[in-house]
Amino acid sequence: MNYQVVSEESLNKAAEIILNGGLVAFPTETVYGLGANAFNPHALAKVFEVKERPFFDPLIIHIASIDTLEKAADLSLLNEEKRKKLFLLAENLWPGPLSIILPKNENIPGIATAGLQTAAIRFPDYETAQKLISLSSGAIAAPSANPFGLLSPTRAEHVRQGLGEKVDLILDGGPTRIGLESTVLDITGECISILRFGGTPKEIIEKLIGSVHVAAGNEDVNAGLSSPGQLKSHYAPRTPLSLLNQEAIIEQPYKPGSAFLFFDASTRNEWLSKQNPPKMAVIKVLSGSAASLEASTLEAASCLFDNLHELDSSNIKHIFAQSAPPKGLGEAINDRLSRAAVGSAYQS
Ligand code: TXA
Ligand code: MG
């Protein structure tokens, strides 16, 4: 049995597996990660193999204290100003859903960073992850624990469905709190850039370090990706999906075999009164109970992948999804939904 609920015993076992070069799927506050010892190239190779992930796509290195940062990164290669910004970010946003691209320490094998001289480093805000990291190698390289290109797992059950027995141990810590991957921020270039929208909104980063460039969602896929998370079709459910704004979804007639994924209940109600769908129609609302816009994007982010996983394992032929208000986490939600929509045309 490669599946255990988080406990002192299972954490110790998981740490031993990591130290022996094995793979452990573990919960973080964003999504489940597929972890390996960040200093062991053989273990890292297994991560790529199990995920069927191309070797050009670098992994995120997870640490559990600021003191270990320099084991993974070489901060001497940052100038004074960048170092200041890094410490501002780390002090205020770590632990948390922010991965920062830094010059890599030479101890990190090239396979972890796909040959790049930089490494994405993250300090997750989840006790289980922190304990696993500090009980084992001090730094764990972990991509999301899903087959490459598919939806990230927000529950241990998703990992079991996607990767099954290929993982030495799946640690079940319940559903993840944020439900979307971390924001990836590159501070090594001339300007500081967001490479992937995620759990830390751009506004929060800009309050600390001033305005940042956005390279996330780069349309020109062939121009050389600075972050393969920018691949246009990524984070995709198997079911085709159309992304519609509020006005468009209200006008979208119900089609047999389709599901509707609304951002908010009032848009759903308007749609219901206009389209009068049959009783068996599959209708979901991402932010059903939230009181404010901020609370509603949080709620929607936390259950987005759950809903997509569920629709993917039912008989739904097409998903019509409403975009989120493009503020705070809404940007990350829209980013994932628009990638899910790539290559999806409605087929009746
Ligand atoms: O929330 C998360 O970030 C989750 C949990 C498990 O921590 N991890 C995750 O990892 O989403 P993954 O491998 O699915 O996504 C990592 C992203 C990819 O888009 C990758 O291209 C980018 O980070 N990345 C990693 N290292 C990079 C580097 N040195 N330069 C540019 N992009 C990098
Ligand atoms: Mg991933």
Side-chain angles (χ1 to χ4, degrees), residues 194-207:
I194 292 186
L195 302 185
R196 175 176 77 178
F197 286 120
T200 302
K202 173 168 167 261
E203 296 90 322
I204 292 185
I205 295 171
E206 291 192 321
K207 252 189 212 152

Side-chain angles (χ1 to χ4, degrees), residues 26-35 47 51 53 56-62 96-102 104 112-114 116-122 124 142-146 148 152-153 180-184 186 188 195-196 198-199 225-231 234-235 336:
F26 64 99
T28 78
E29 81 279 29
T30 57
V31 299
Y32 276 73
L34 177 64
V47 172
K51 261 189 78 105
R53 180 180 177 111
F56 62 71
D57 196 356
L59 307 176
I60 294 178
I61 316 286
H62 296 68
L98 175 68
S99 298
I100 307 180
I101 312 275
L102 296 169
K104 90 173 185 69
T113 63
L116 296 174
Q117 290 308 311
T118 56
I121 313 229
R122 161 161 138 74
S144 50
N146 51 291
F148 181 71
S152 291
L180 277 181
E181 302 85 348
S182 61
T183 299
V184 177
D186 186 357
T188 63
L195 302 185
R196 175 176 77 178
L225 297 171
S226 42
S227 183
Q230 293 174 13
L231 283 174
H234 207 93
Y235 310 105
R336 302 303 186 273

Side-chain angles (χ1 to χ4, degrees), residues 38-52:
F39 304 107
N40 178 338
H42 297 285
L44 295 167
K46 280 195 237 165
V47 172
F48 287 90
E49 189 180 292
V50 162
K51 261 189 78 105
E52 297 180 31

